[in-house]
């Protein structure tokens, strides 16, 4: 069984991504799991520099010593697998013609959370669907029966969240992140998911979908984000926070590892550490729950 790191090649990895990668690697190695890297380039037409960015992301992981097992998998090559999984889900899938704006105004979701889909298109008649298909192409949603689901997170404990009728394939034909991630984790034998806590909210939906597709629900560990000192998220394109930018500014690789380890409560300030020491010290339940301000 394996853990994984699954970056999107939209920009170079920044300090937050590097920290997530380190935790994912430590969590996998500390539990004697394999470690897989998967490139989440599902939306490849909108990721024009993806190949170059993937090369730099993998080089960064290598520079930090975060070795992975097997070939790096790319989501853009896996459409057939997603089609096959979608076919298995067919009894639960329906066409949705709502625009993003229509969903947002119908729901008034609190800021930062995904709006709950109100089910507008769930029970359309065949005639209504035919008429709407001539107006716009449909997205595909799953009928989740408005479930609520509890997941267990290694850091946050029990987390209950909504499972609404989320999108599995977008109107432009691209499979949705929430769908592809579950299919990939299931097919790749991933039983440990480590990522930023901005995705904690998605875990109940993904756990529900995994069960529908006959995959075991993985263990989850959602780690707090790295934020700029003013509390805003690190900009993906801020070169100063990329590994190359940090090294250019005078940080060394051992210095970076020490800084990341300290931010995770795994080392004293400026303590020189190596990865094997961190593997021995790693305890997911004792990671900080606060965002790391840089
Ligand atoms: N590809 C996502 C990202 O780069 C991570 C998704 C996941 O780990 O489930 O933020």
């Amino acid at each position: 069984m394996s853990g994984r790191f699954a970056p999107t090649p939209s920009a170079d990895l920044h300090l937050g991504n590097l920290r997530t990668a380190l935790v994912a690697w430590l969590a996998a190695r500390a539990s004697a799991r394999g470690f897989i890297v998967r490139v989440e380039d599902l939306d490849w037409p909108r990721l024009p520099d993806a190949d170059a960015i993937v090369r730099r992301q993998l080089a960064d992981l290598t520079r930090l010593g975060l070795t992975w097992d097997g070939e790096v998998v790319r989501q853009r090559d896996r459409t057939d697998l997603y089609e096959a999984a979608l076919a298995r889900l067919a009894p639960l899938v329906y066409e949705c013609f709502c625009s993003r704006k229509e969903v947002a105004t119908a729901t008034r979701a609190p800021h930062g959370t995904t709006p709950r889909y109100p089910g507008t298109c769930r029970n359309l008649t065949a005639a209504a669907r035919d008429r709407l298909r001539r107006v716009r192409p449909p997205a595909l949603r799953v009928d989740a029966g408005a479930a609520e689901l509890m997941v267990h997170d290694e850091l946050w404990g029990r987390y209950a969240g909504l499972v609404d009728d989320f999108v599995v394939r977008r109107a432009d034909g691209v499979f949705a992140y929430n769908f592809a991630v579950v299919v990939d984790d299931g097919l790749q034998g991933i039983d440990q998911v480590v990522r930023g806590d901005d995705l904690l909210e998605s875990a109940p939906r993904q756990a529900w979908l995994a069960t529908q597709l006959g995959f075991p629900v993985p263990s989850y560990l959602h780690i707090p984000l790295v934020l700029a000192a003013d509390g805003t998220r690190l900009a993906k394109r801020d070169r100063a926070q990329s590994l190359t930018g940090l090294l250019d500014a005078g940080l060394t690789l051992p210095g970076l590892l020490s800084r990341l380890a300290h931010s995770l409560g795994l080392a004293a300030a400026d303590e020189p550490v190596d990865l094997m020491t961190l593997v021995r010290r790693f305890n997911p339940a004792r990671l900080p729950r606060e965002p790391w301000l840089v």
Side-chain angles (χ1 to χ4, degrees):
M1 286 304 187
S2 298
R4 46 63 157 194
F5 179 59
T8 302
S10 53
D12 288 347
L13 301 176
H14 60 50
L15 200 56
N17 308 130
L18 296 168
R19 187 171 178 252
T20 302
L22 173 62
V23 178
W25 188 90
L26 291 174
R29 298 309 189 201
S31 56
R33 284 180 166 89
F35 184 67
I36 282 173
V37 175
R38 180 173 71 233
V39 173
E40 300 217 316
D41 55 355
L42 208 52
D43 204 4
W44 58 271
R46 288 184 209 205
L47 297 168
D49 297 328
D51 288 346
I53 294 172
V54 168
R55 272 197 298 278
R56 294 202 297 271
Q57 290 182 333
L58 296 178
D60 284 357
L61 297 179
T62 303
R63 283 200 281 185
L64 279 175
L66 307 182
T67 49
W68 59 88
D69 304 308
E71 295 289 312
V72 172
V73 157
R74 294 187 65 155
Q75 285 187 326
R76 66 160 191 213
D77 300 330
R78 295 169 67 83
T79 309
D80 291 353
L81 298 172
Y82 306 140
E83 294 286 1
L86 184 66
R88 274 160 51 208
L89 210 59
L92 292 178
V93 171
Y94 65 86
E95 290 176 328
C96 170
F97 300 89
C98 299
S99 68
R100 210 176 273 234
K101 199 165 157 214
E102 282 160 358
V103 177
T105 41
T107 54
R108 250 190 276 159
H111 181 70
T113 60
T114 319
R116 176 201 183 101
Y117 180 66
T120 320
C121 293
R122 195 185 298 129
N123 297 312
L124 290 179
T125 61
R129 274 202 306 273
D130 282 346
R131 187 166 37 77
L132 284 161
R133 267 194 219 119
R134 270 174 251 130
V135 182
R136 48 167 95 133
L140 299 180
R141 290 183 183 270
V142 274
D143 182 353
E148 234 210 25
L149 200 84
M150 177 90 73
V151 294
H152 177 79
D153 185 278
E154 302 284 325
L155 179 60
W156 300 97
R158 286 143 62 94
Y159 175 81
L162 170 77
V163 184
D164 69 346
D165 290 4
F166 55 97
V167 172
V168 290
R169 204 180 68 194
R170 302 189 327 215
D172 62 4
V174 175
F175 282 96
Y177 155 72
N178 273 320
F179 180 77
V181 82
V182 170
V183 174
D184 285 336
D185 286 344
L187 293 179
Q188 293 189 285
I190 283 160
D191 66 339
Q192 180 186 61
V193 168
V194 179
R195 59 191 175 194
D197 70 0
D198 54 331
L199 289 167
L200 178 59
E201 192 213 352
S202 302
R205 288 185 179 91
Q206 294 177 9
W208 177 86
L209 185 59
T211 305
Q212 299 304 316
L213 288 169
F215 297 128
V217 175
S219 74
Y220 293 108
L221 172 59
H222 289 88
I223 58 166
L225 298 183
V226 179
L227 300 178
D230 62 3
T232 56
R233 282 171 74 151
L234 294 188
K236 272 211 150 178
R237 288 170 206 287
D238 182 357
R239 196 181 164 278
Q241 301 294 354
S242 71
L243 183 52
T244 304
L246 293 164
L247 296 177
D248 284 353
L251 201 65
T252 60
L253 283 169
L256 174 64
L257 190 62
S258 165
R259 197 171 157 208
L260 292 174
H262 178 57
S263 82
L264 294 163
L266 294 172
D270 301 322
E271 179 188 349
V273 279
D274 57 48
L275 287 171
M276 282 310 135
T277 306
L278 298 180
V279 167
R280 281 195 299 277
R281 290 182 188 173
F282 186 75
N283 177 351
R286 294 183 58 191
L287 293 169
R289 290 183 172 205
E290 301 300 316
W292 181 35
L293 301 182
V294 293

